[in-house]
Tab-separated table of all heavy atoms in Angstrom:
chain	number	residue	atom	x	y	z
A	8	ALA	N	-3.049	2.659	-29.842
A	8	ALA	CA	-2.456	1.807	-30.863
A	8	ALA	C	-3.185	0.481	-31.014
A	8	ALA	O	-3.002	-0.220	-31.997
A	8	ALA	CB	-0.987	1.547	-30.517
A	18	THR	N	-10.757	-5.833	-10.981
A	18	THR	CA	-11.930	-5.911	-10.109
A	18	THR	C	-11.708	-5.128	-8.824
A	18	THR	O	-12.542	-5.156	-7.928
A	18	THR	CB	-12.276	-7.378	-9.750
A	18	THR	OG1	-11.171	-7.959	-9.060
A	18	THR	CG2	-12.613	-8.180	-10.990
A	28	ARG	N	-13.935	2.820	-17.978
A	28	ARG	CA	-13.604	3.940	-18.883
A	28	ARG	C	-13.066	3.432	-20.215
A	28	ARG	O	-13.367	3.991	-21.268
A	28	ARG	CB	-12.567	4.876	-18.234
A	28	ARG	CG	-13.055	5.649	-17.037
A	28	ARG	CD	-14.047	6.749	-17.396
A	28	ARG	NE	-13.603	7.669	-18.392
A	28	ARG	CZ	-12.960	8.803	-18.170
A	28	ARG	NH1	-12.687	9.178	-16.952
A	28	ARG	NH2	-12.605	9.584	-19.164
A	39	MET	N	-7.925	-9.359	-15.572
A	39	MET	CA	-7.291	-10.485	-14.904
A	39	MET	C	-7.521	-10.321	-13.410
A	39	MET	O	-7.245	-9.269	-12.840
A	39	MET	CB	-5.791	-10.548	-15.186
A	39	MET	CG	-5.109	-11.738	-14.488
A	39	MET	SD	-3.327	-11.784	-14.730
A	39	MET	CE	-3.226	-12.407	-16.405
A	58	ALA	N	-19.854	-4.197	-17.181
A	58	ALA	CA	-20.525	-4.999	-18.202
A	58	ALA	C	-19.734	-4.915	-19.498
A	58	ALA	O	-19.273	-3.849	-19.895
A	58	ALA	CB	-21.949	-4.489	-18.417
A	69	ASP	N	1.296	-17.398	-9.208
A	69	ASP	CA	1.607	-18.660	-9.884
A	69	ASP	C	2.316	-18.242	-11.171
A	69	ASP	O	1.685	-18.031	-12.211
A	69	ASP	CB	0.326	-19.442	-10.165
A	69	ASP	CG	0.586	-20.763	-10.889
A	69	ASP	OD1	1.694	-20.956	-11.448
A	69	ASP	OD2	-0.346	-21.589	-10.906
A	90	THR	N	-1.637	-4.421	-9.815
A	90	THR	CA	-1.352	-5.322	-8.704
A	90	THR	C	0.106	-5.700	-8.494
A	90	THR	O	0.403	-6.387	-7.525
A	90	THR	CB	-2.178	-6.628	-8.833
A	90	THR	OG1	-1.727	-7.368	-9.956
A	90	THR	CG2	-3.660	-6.322	-8.941
A	92	MET	N	3.283	-5.720	-6.908
A	92	MET	CA	3.711	-5.184	-5.617
A	92	MET	C	5.134	-5.579	-5.255
A	92	MET	O	5.671	-5.098	-4.275
A	92	MET	CB	2.788	-5.684	-4.489
A	92	MET	CG	1.358	-5.341	-4.661
A	92	MET	SD	1.076	-3.604	-4.321
A	92	MET	CE	-0.650	-3.493	-4.717
A	105	GLU	N	9.474	-10.948	-23.149
A	105	GLU	CA	10.563	-11.516	-23.937
A	105	GLU	C	10.077	-12.659	-24.829
A	105	GLU	O	10.622	-12.893	-25.891
A	105	GLU	CB	11.688	-11.992	-23.017
A	105	GLU	CG	12.437	-10.822	-22.376
A	105	GLU	CD	13.397	-11.244	-21.283
A	105	GLU	OE1	13.320	-12.393	-20.793
A	105	GLU	OE2	14.224	-10.400	-20.886
A	108	PRO	N	6.255	-10.055	-27.294
A	108	PRO	CA	6.367	-8.633	-26.940
A	108	PRO	C	5.027	-7.934	-26.700
A	108	PRO	O	4.040	-8.178	-27.395
A	108	PRO	CB	7.089	-8.027	-28.148
A	108	PRO	CG	7.855	-9.169	-28.731
A	108	PRO	CD	6.969	-10.374	-28.527
A	113	ILE	N	1.756	-0.586	-18.595
A	113	ILE	CA	1.520	0.566	-17.727
A	113	ILE	C	1.514	0.069	-16.286
A	113	ILE	O	0.594	-0.649	-15.880
A	113	ILE	CB	0.197	1.266	-18.087
A	113	ILE	CG1	0.237	1.695	-19.548
A	113	ILE	CG2	-0.057	2.454	-17.152
A	113	ILE	CD1	-1.121	1.869	-20.165
A	115	VAL	N	1.095	0.791	-12.534
A	115	VAL	CA	0.474	1.784	-11.664
A	115	VAL	C	1.164	1.707	-10.315
A	115	VAL	O	1.076	0.703	-9.611
A	115	VAL	CB	-1.045	1.557	-11.530
A	115	VAL	CG1	-1.661	2.614	-10.632
A	115	VAL	CG2	-1.703	1.568	-12.905
A	122	PRO	N	9.738	10.292	-0.892
A	122	PRO	CA	10.216	10.362	0.490
A	122	PRO	C	9.069	10.653	1.456
A	122	PRO	O	8.197	11.464	1.181
A	122	PRO	CB	11.221	11.513	0.452
A	122	PRO	CG	11.728	11.511	-0.955
A	122	PRO	CD	10.512	11.140	-1.787
A	125	VAL	N	7.754	6.068	1.603
A	125	VAL	CA	8.515	4.830	1.722
A	125	VAL	C	8.796	4.521	3.189
A	125	VAL	O	8.627	3.405	3.647
A	125	VAL	CB	9.837	4.927	0.922
A	125	VAL	CG1	10.732	3.744	1.192
A	125	VAL	CG2	9.530	5.056	-0.567
A	135	GLY	N	2.053	18.945	-1.787
A	135	GLY	CA	1.402	18.325	-2.936
A	135	GLY	C	2.199	18.448	-4.214
A	135	GLY	O	1.923	17.770	-5.183
A	139	GLU	N	9.468	14.964	-9.515
A	139	GLU	CA	9.590	13.569	-9.953
A	139	GLU	C	10.921	12.958	-9.504
A	139	GLU	O	10.972	11.818	-9.076
A	139	GLU	CB	9.455	13.490	-11.470
A	139	GLU	CG	9.485	12.101	-12.024
A	139	GLU	CD	8.352	11.222	-11.524
A	139	GLU	OE1	7.248	11.725	-11.288
A	139	GLU	OE2	8.592	10.018	-11.348
A	147	ALA	N	16.616	2.449	-4.197
A	147	ALA	CA	15.445	1.588	-4.008
A	147	ALA	C	15.798	0.284	-3.302
A	147	ALA	O	15.001	-0.235	-2.522
A	147	ALA	CB	14.774	1.297	-5.344
A	166	HIS	N	12.710	0.997	-14.528
A	166	HIS	CA	13.597	2.045	-15.042
A	166	HIS	C	14.853	1.421	-15.659
A	166	HIS	O	15.348	1.895	-16.682
A	166	HIS	CB	13.961	3.017	-13.925
A	166	HIS	CG	14.727	4.201	-14.389
A	166	HIS	ND1	14.146	5.223	-15.110
A	166	HIS	CD2	16.032	4.530	-14.264
A	166	HIS	CE1	15.063	6.130	-15.399
A	166	HIS	NE2	16.219	5.729	-14.892
A	175	LEU	N	3.331	5.657	-13.518
A	175	LEU	CA	2.042	6.306	-13.313
A	175	LEU	C	1.750	6.151	-11.827
A	175	LEU	O	1.501	5.050	-11.358
A	175	LEU	CB	0.962	5.631	-14.160
A	175	LEU	CG	-0.474	6.151	-14.016
A	175	LEU	CD1	-0.547	7.621	-14.400
A	175	LEU	CD2	-1.407	5.321	-14.870
Side-chain angles (χ1 to χ4, degrees):
T18 61
R28 292 289 306 269
M39 180 183 283
D69 179 344
T90 67
M92 302 286 176
E105 289 170 345
I113 302 157
V115 181
V125 172
E139 183 62 33
H166 187 73
L175 177 60

